[in-house]
Amino acid sequence: EVQLQASGGGSVQAGESLRLSCTASGFTFENYVIQWFRQAPGKEREGLACITTSDGDQYYADSVKGRFAISTDSAKKTVYLQMYRLNPEDTAVYYCAMRRSTGNAITTLTSYYDSWGQGTQVTVSS
């Protein structure tokens, strides 16, 4: 069974950092795209960043460029989201999702993913 598990959330003060992890099981971790999303109460789900498991090709939403960083460790079948300078607007449930790679360069974020992980809560206090 394909499964993704998000972890690493918690409660922090504004200006602090967190590193989220998304660990995969049930598939080979080859030729996939992993994407981080978040959803805050009353807001639509927002795509943040994605990365390919094959070559590490990355794409970021404009809103998080320079502040969030996505990376992958293929040996651990894990994708990370390092978040710096958190603020209360970052408070949300963070999810990771997986889809098969088309082999094309990533040019945009999409919502069409095949498997979703359980979310991890991030709460940022002012």
Side-chain angles (χ1 to χ4, degrees), residues 14-116:
E16 296 182 345
S17 301
L18 279 174
R19 190 179 196 181
L20 306 181
S21 298
C22 175
T23 300
S25 63
F27 64 104
T28 63
F29 208 68
E30 297 177 356
N31 299 316
Y32 292 95
V33 181
I34 309 294
Q35 183 163 308
W36 285 97
F37 298 83
R38 68 185 178 190
Q39 187 164 27
K43 294 186 177 181
E44 295 182 350
R45 188 176 62 217
E46 177 187 14
L48 303 174
C50 65
I51 189 168
T52 63
T53 60
S54 57
D55 60 8
D57 187 28
Q58 302 172 15
Y59 191 88
Y60 294 89
D62 288 341
S63 61
V64 301
K65 286 181 180 178
R67 192 164 64 92
F68 289 6
I70 192 169
S71 62
T72 185
D73 184 335
S74 59
K76 296 182 178 180
K77 295 185 177 181
T78 300
V79 173
Y80 303 98
L81 185 69
Q82 179 68 57
M83 306 185 294
Y84 299 101
R85 301 188 303 280
L86 289 164
N87 60 67
E89 294 182 348
D90 295 315
T91 295
V93 178
Y94 285 69
Y95 301 89
C96 59
M98 176 274 292
R99 63 172 172 86
R100 288 190 175 274
S101 175
T102 64
N104 298 323
I106 300 173
T107 58
T108 189
L109 298 172
T110 77
S111 297
Y112 301 103
Y113 280 77
D114 299 314
S115 299
W116 292 80

